[in-house]
């Protein structure tokens, strides 16, 4: 099988800085990409980007969130050190020693480095402890509060300052595959099917959602507004093929093993069955993930919008989630796009997802 290639759209999304609540850079990438082929395009007050093609009695919404974990400036001390709170969940053992970009007012980007006490200065007990967030700071090179405040303000968000690195075998390391991968899939499907509009029997809407990392907030609004027949969230899931992972606890998911199809109470049975059937019929690499409760994805709120929406969840396997160097396989991303294409093409006016 030919190795998948990274598209310019996916790369631009990964490089866009979009900490949750400040998704403008990623939104601009989506808008630039989608306006060329979307029949309808809109924004809402939470910053979601919504694009549609096709017509029909039934409708399908694809949702991938474009926000990422980050930091938010909460205090500047007298010596110009910048303290922060977390936007989304971080592993505190990985925050210090990182280069960061603070998104300051007026479109300025202020560079900094996260710091804490050096290991040489710690006692034996401290070396074994994971630092609390308030014991880590950002050094922006300022020597006083006044100097720092000319550069950054309370409430300015920040993200890790790391790029995209292509590894071997079609695997890529980057921050924010969670969930630029899902956002890419939602809009790449729309792009491809815009060239096959005559085959589409439903209305297809792709949404780049906001604020997923702090409670699936953008998807809550989008699902209410679009109110589709079927809503499929696209996110990332944990690959478990790394050393010391207990598969009895976390299941068996392989990087490069194909798209993850979720099954459980958050998922409509008929949507799951069709996704699985299409994957098997079309030879699309796939894996099944069991979800025993409402998932930590946009699917949890899509399912409960208004009087309920038939909901599915596809995930791209990911290693090292919520770190500065998440690793994904481009082949898995392509499998996700292909399965979503087939699902969209399979929908018709006669579909009934009640049970």
């Amino acid at each position: 099988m030919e190795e998948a290639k990274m598209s310019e759209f996916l790369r631009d999304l990964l490089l866009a800085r979009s900490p949750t609540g400040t998704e403008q850079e990623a939104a601009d990438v989506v808008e630039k990409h989608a306006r060329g082929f979307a029949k309808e395009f809109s924004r809402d007050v939470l910053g979601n980007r919504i694009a549609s093609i096709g017509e029909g009695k039934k409708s399908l919404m694809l949702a991938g969130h474009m926000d990422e974990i980050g930091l938010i400036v909460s205090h500047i001390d007298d010596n110009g050190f910048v303290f922060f709170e977390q936007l989304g969940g971080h592993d505190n053992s990985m925050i210090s020693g990182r280069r960061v970009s603070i998104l300051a007012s007026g479109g300025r980007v202020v560079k900094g480095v996260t710091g804490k006490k050096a290991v040489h200065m710690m006692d034996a007990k401290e070396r074994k402890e994971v630092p609390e967030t308030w014991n880590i700071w950002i050094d922006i090179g300022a020597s006083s509060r006044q100097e720092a405040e000319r550069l950054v303000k309370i409430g300015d968000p920040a993200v890790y300052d790391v790029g995209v690195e292509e590894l071997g075998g079609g695997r890529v390391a980057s921050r924010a595959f969670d969930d630029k991968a899902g956002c890419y899939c939602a809009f790449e499907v729309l792009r491809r099917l815009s060239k096959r509009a005559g085959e589409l029997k439903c209305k297809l809407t792709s949404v780049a959602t906001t604020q997923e990392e702090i409670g699936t907030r953008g998807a809550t609004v989008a699902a209410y507004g679009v109110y589709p027949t079927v809503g499929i969230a696209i996110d990332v899931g944990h690959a478990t093929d790394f050393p010391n992972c207990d598969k009895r606890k976390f299941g068996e998911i392989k990087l490069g093993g194909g798209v993850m199809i979720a099954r459980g109470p958050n998922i409509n049975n008929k949507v799951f069955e069709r996704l699985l059937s299409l994957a098997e019929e079309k030879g699309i690499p796939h894996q099944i993930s069991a979800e025993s409760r409402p998932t930590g994805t946009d699917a949890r709120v899509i399912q409960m919008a208004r009087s309920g929406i038939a909901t599915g969840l596809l995930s791209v396997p990911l290693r090292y989630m919520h770190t500065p160097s998440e690793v994904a396989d481009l082949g898995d991303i392509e499998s996700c796009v292909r399965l979503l294409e087939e699902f969209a093409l399979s929908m018709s006016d006669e579909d009934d997802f009640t049970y």
Side-chain angles (χ1 to χ4, degrees), residues 57-237:
K57 294 179 182 178
K58 305 297 183 180
S59 59
L60 170 63
M61 182 180 82
L62 308 179
H65 72 88
M66 59 180 164
D67 62 310
E68 59 181 290
I69 62 169
L71 312 171
I72 184 169
V73 174
S74 58
H75 173 67
I76 301 170
D77 75 7
D78 290 341
N79 295 313
F81 292 107
V82 177
F83 291 80
F84 55 85
E85 295 180 10
Q86 297 181 15
L87 292 170
H90 293 250
D91 180 345
N92 278 35
S93 68
M94 293 191 173
I95 297 178
S96 64
R98 304 290 178 182
R99 297 181 184 184
V100 297
S101 293
I102 302 173
L103 308 184
S105 60
R108 294 179 300 109
V109 176
V110 177
K111 301 291 186 174
V113 176
T114 55
K116 65 178 181 64
K117 185 191 295 185
V119 66
H120 313 73
M121 304 172 74
M122 296 179 188
D123 59 32
K125 181 175 180 292
E126 287 176 316
R127 291 180 185 181
K128 295 178 181 180
E129 294 175 344
V130 175
E132 297 286 351
T133 304
W134 51 269
N135 272 329
I136 312 171
W137 54 85
I138 302 173
D139 188 338
I140 60 172
S143 56
S144 69
R145 182 197 299 267
Q146 292 74 22
E147 186 179 348
E149 287 179 340
R150 286 196 290 269
L151 298 172
V152 301
K153 306 294 183 186
I154 303 300
D156 284 345
V159 295
Y160 295 125
D161 186 9
V162 293
V164 178
E165 191 71 38
E166 296 197 42
L167 309 177
R171 291 170 180 187
V172 179
S174 176
R175 51 158 253 284
F177 265 119
D178 180 9
D179 183 35
K180 306 298 178 64
C183 183
Y184 163 79
C185 289
F187 283 83
E188 177 62 8
V189 171
L190 198 77
R191 183 190 70 82
R192 294 184 190 184
L193 290 181
S194 69
K195 300 178 180 180
R196 304 171 64 183
E199 302 174 51
L200 197 60
K201 304 180 188 68
C202 68
K203 181 173 183 178
L204 174 61
T205 300
S206 294
V207 185
T209 63
T210 60
Q211 299 188 37
E212 189 271 354
E213 295 292 355
I214 56 169
T216 60
R217 295 162 62 82
T220 301
V221 173
Y224 186 95
V226 176
Y227 194 44
T229 310
V230 175
I232 299 179
I234 312 113
D235 213 305
V236 292

Side-chain angles (χ1 to χ4, degrees), residues 260-264 267 272 287-291 295 312-315:
M260 298 163 62
I261 308 174
R263 186 180 188 190
I267 308 304
F272 166 77
Q287 308 172 77
I288 308 301
S289 63
E291 302 291 347
T295 63
L313 170 63
L314 296 183
S315 300

Side-chain angles (χ1 to χ4, degrees), residues 214-287:
I214 56 169
T216 60
R217 295 162 62 82
T220 301
V221 173
Y224 186 95
V226 176
Y227 194 44
T229 310
V230 175
I232 299 179
I234 312 113
D235 213 305
V236 292
H238 294 288
T240 61
D241 58 345
F242 58 86
N244 73 20
C245 182
D246 190 340
K247 295 174 179 60
R248 296 171 302 173
K249 292 176 64 177
F250 302 108
E252 186 168 5
I253 299 294
K254 296 180 180 179
L255 200 71
V259 61
M260 298 163 62
I261 308 174
R263 186 180 188 190
N266 194 178
I267 308 304
N268 178 278
N269 288 339
K270 290 186 176 181
V271 172
F272 166 77
E273 289 166 1
R274 183 175 297 189
L275 286 166
L276 180 60
S277 175
L278 288 167
E280 292 174 342
E281 177 187 341
K282 303 296 181 180
I284 300 171
H286 62 281
Q287 308 172 77

